[in-house]
Amino acid sequence: MRFGLLLIFFLTAPARAQSMLQNLNVSAAVDLVAPMSLDDDQTNKLSPRSAEVLLFGPIDDTFDGNLNIAGHSYDGKFQFDLHEAYFSSSKLIPQSRFRIGKFFLNIGRLNGVHQHDWPFITAPKVHREFFNPGNSALQAEGAADTGIEYTWLLPTDSFVDLTFGITNGYCFGHCHVEGQRPPHPTAYLHATTFVEAGHQSGVLLGASFLKREDSSHTKTELYGIEATWKAREGKTLRWLLQSEVFLQSQSPAAGNRSEKIGFYVYPQYGFSDRFSGGLRIDGYSHLNLKFESTGEKRSDFDYAVVPTLTYKTSEFATVRLAYSHAVDTTQGSGDTRDRQFQLQFVYLLGAHPAHDF
Amino acid sequence: MNSKSLILVCFAFVISACGGGQNPDVEAARLLPASQAIGSQKLEVLEGSATLLFSNGSLTGNGLIRFADPLEGAETANNFSMTFSLDDGGSITLIANANRDLTGGVEFEISRPNGSNELKVKARTTAGERDLSSALEGKINVAQEITLWFDVHNDHSDSVHVVAWNQASGEELTEDVVPGKGVGASWGLRLQGGRVENVSRSEARDRH
């Protein structure tokens, strides 16, 4: 009997493997950008910002797998790296899903979405500074790490999702090397709820909290809220309103605690299912910046206004044009302006995974 | 929010935000005597006022100095250019992103061991140290005046990204990542047997 079962198992193995292979999805995404700065022409060129190859699909009846290899332009060279690699399941534990591996942390709105899927070209300053510090506005994407993330859909009448995550914490955001062992892993919490606002319209609201301590004992706490409203008319996304606000408190082992706050708000109107226009407004401030010599409080506010036009020939090809007018106003220093036009071409090959709301 | 309100909000941002106003840091620098400077960078002496000697915009001797015009902030990326010469057995340490007393910063210690024709360079923070000396072997003539450029990217998440160039050849000498970060916006020098002819700072050269 046992021999018979084994024989059946081995004889059907190629068929099962074939079935799994048929369910394997292969996708690629290429993101080309051309910044045209009015203040600094050193980076004015068309170049591939990122190129991703994504494999995803069921591993077996219980688990799904995801492998994402992405290349980015860095220091004049194009380098491929492991972007995401995780397995996940929504079948093992009722009302729950989890993933284990390397992934973009599910906190806030933008951090969980790949750069080429954003509704605008560059990261708002708040996202860049809190999730990818040290990277340029054009390159900044988000914070990815290796760990475990568990999401629980609460058994309530309304939709409430709670996500808990614990990751290694060796690196957060932009790192040139993996980094050193921190005293504690990075931990985060993200709660979201969805509210229907009529036929083909709804709002996703969320709140995030992240806590980490790096290897040099700098403690970081991040608090955030987000809102995304979408209103459709037929196939057309008539209105999109997306906004996030984050407050970061950071205490180095030796040195003063810093508190920074930032936000962006992006309303977008869809003229048709292919053509849309939006205006992003960013704000960012170091709340307790001080003059070095006297210790007096120093006002600091940075803002940007980014009108953006998007044309999609289909969901697989996007052309985007934006103008970014960013101004850094720090008391006692002259205003620093960064004005640039940006052109973006994104194309997707193959089946692209579905996105959350 | 209708489109008219949105335009008003944008306009309010543009007119309300302004980087002008008094800057006590700049005012403090302005009050220092013109002779108390390396090149055009005015400075304050923290240690060694009896042994440091200013001469025609250069500085020699042993001591610790802080430049009067601080960096834009602790978490910033800057480039530092330094023209210097070293005595046999001497060292000069460039300190960036430090507290007012120049502690807690990112340090580049450049030294010339006794009887050696090679430069030794170490980059360090309070959390770690990297020896960058091997990248400079045979590339710098210590008998002459040397100009090095240093990038200190203190705006990454957990570590400092450092890059060094030889100004004479324009060649990138080394690039490394030092654990930890600098915690302040002050910068300065520690001298122990050397002469600094010129120092300046600007935006980071390496952009990413």
Side-chain angles (χ1 to χ4, degrees), chain A residues 275-288:
Chain A
F275 187 52
S276 60
L279 178 70
R280 198 183 79 211
I281 296 168
D282 303 349
Y284 181 87
S285 180
H286 186 155
L287 296 172
N288 58 347

Side-chain angles (χ1 to χ4, degrees), chain A residues 40 74-75 133-136 170 172 174-176 180 212 214 250 254 281 291-293 298 301 303 330 332-333 335, chain B residues 10 13-14 17-20 22-25 70 72 75 100 155-158 161 177 179-180 183 185-186 206-208:
Chain A
D40 174 12
Y74 174 70
D75 218 5
N135 233 335
S136 67
Y170 281 57
F172 187 79
H174 177 64
C175 306
H176 293 266
Q180 294 185 317
R212 72 183 300 263
D214 68 23
Q250 205 163 52
I281 296 168
F291 285 106
E292 281 291 302
S293 53
R298 187 177 192 183
F301 183 66
Y303 66 91
T330 306
S333 302
D335 292 357
Chain B
C10 296
F13 269 132
V14 174
C18 175
Q22 290 284 311
N23 186 335
D25 296 339
E72 280 302 309
E75 292 190 32
R100 294 270 297 162
D155 55 353
H156 293 17
S157 56
D158 297 353
H161 175 204
V177 175
V183 297
S186 293
D206 190 84
R207 296 176 182 202
H208 57 279

Side-chain angles (χ1 to χ4, degrees), chain A residues 88-100 106 148-153 159-164 192 356:
Chain A
S88 59
S89 178
S90 56
K91 296 168 186 161
L92 214 56
I93 309 168
Q95 300 270 120
S96 304
R97 59 187 190 276
F98 65 86
R99 53 182 178 166
I100 299 174
N106 179 11
I148 301 172
E149 193 177 88
Y150 171 75
T151 302
W152 179 37
L153 176 63
F159 170 89
V160 182
D161 234 7
L162 273 182
T163 297
F164 308 88
T192 55
D356 293 340

Side-chain angles (χ1 to χ4, degrees), chain B residues 158-179:
Chain B
D158 297 353
S159 53
V160 188
H161 175 204
V162 296
V163 192
W165 292 265
N166 182 1
Q167 186 263 347
S169 63
E171 178 192 10
E172 182 181 312
L173 296 168
T174 183
E175 178 176 17
D176 212 327
V177 175
V178 188

Side-chain angles (χ1 to χ4, degrees), chain A residues 27-32 49-54 68 70 83 113-121 141 312 318 320 344-348 352-353 355:
Chain A
S27 169
V30 177
D31 182 359
L32 297 155
R49 176 165 64 168
S50 71
E52 289 181 18
V53 178
L54 172 64
N68 188 324
H83 215 38
V113 181
H114 287 193
Q115 199 180 40
H116 62 259
D117 285 325
W118 292 350
F120 30 76
I121 300 173
E141 184 163 17
K312 287 172 176 279
T318 304
R320 198 167 270 133
Q344 181 191 34
F345 304 94
V346 176
Y347 62 89
L348 311 175
H352 204 61
H355 291 291

